[in-house]
Amino acid sequence: MNVPSGNLLAGLPSGARPDEIFTTLTETASSSGTVRIERILSTGQASPDGFWYDQDWDEFVLIVQGAARLQLEGEAERALGRGDWAMIPARRRHRVAWTDPAGPTVWLAVHIGEKQPPETPGRGEDQ
């Protein structure tokens, strides 16, 4: 059996990019849905005005490098920096209010119980 492995910080692009880069690192299926782990690279991107994620699955996010501001509906934006994480329950509306435009923000996202990959505005393919 092949054991997936890698380095989250390998192959980071230099300079700003027009879109975020989403890379699925691994996923596994079960009767209750899948667990999908992805790396997200942001350089100044944010959720479009008025857009809220409203997912059927739980999501754990961790900032590995860089900085971002996450907003949960009904709450003030929360600043996230290296090492900061949040557990976003299913159906909890949220958005990315800001990511650092000066360099890559590296997110580790774990989607728990996802039934199918999401359609995300501005979502770039694994690039």
Side-chain angles (χ1 to χ4, degrees):
M1 179 176 159
N2 186 13
V3 175
S5 64
N7 185 312
L8 284 175
L9 301 177
L12 296 181
S14 59
R17 297 184 52 92
D19 293 317
E20 291 180 296
I21 301 171
F22 296 77
T23 304
T24 297
L25 303 174
T26 189
E27 79 183 303
T28 186
S30 73
S31 60
S32 61
T34 63
V35 172
R36 183 170 54 90
I37 302 173
E38 72 181 345
R39 177 181 81 170
I40 305 169
L41 298 179
S42 307
T43 50
Q45 290 85 9
S47 299
D49 288 339
F51 175 83
W52 294 88
Y53 291 97
D54 188 356
Q55 304 166 164
D56 292 329
W57 57 89
D58 297 326
E59 182 178 5
F60 171 89
V61 294
L62 165 72
I63 300 294
V64 177
Q65 173 180 299
R69 286 195 302 268
L70 179 68
Q71 184 175 16
L72 302 176
E73 188 174 45
E75 295 184 12
E77 293 177 9
R78 55 178 79 187
L80 300 174
R82 194 171 94 186
D84 291 331
W85 59 273
M87 183 68 188
I88 306 165
R91 307 273 28 130
R92 183 65 193 267
R93 288 170 44 109
H94 62 284
R95 63 187 308 276
V96 177
W98 174 88
T99 61
D100 189 353
T105 295
V106 179
W107 304 75
L108 178 67
V110 180
H111 305 271
I112 305 162
E114 182 178 31
K115 302 296 184 194
Q116 63 184 7
E119 292 295 324
T120 303
R123 183 182 179 103
E125 294 301 314
D126 297 350
Q127 299 172 1

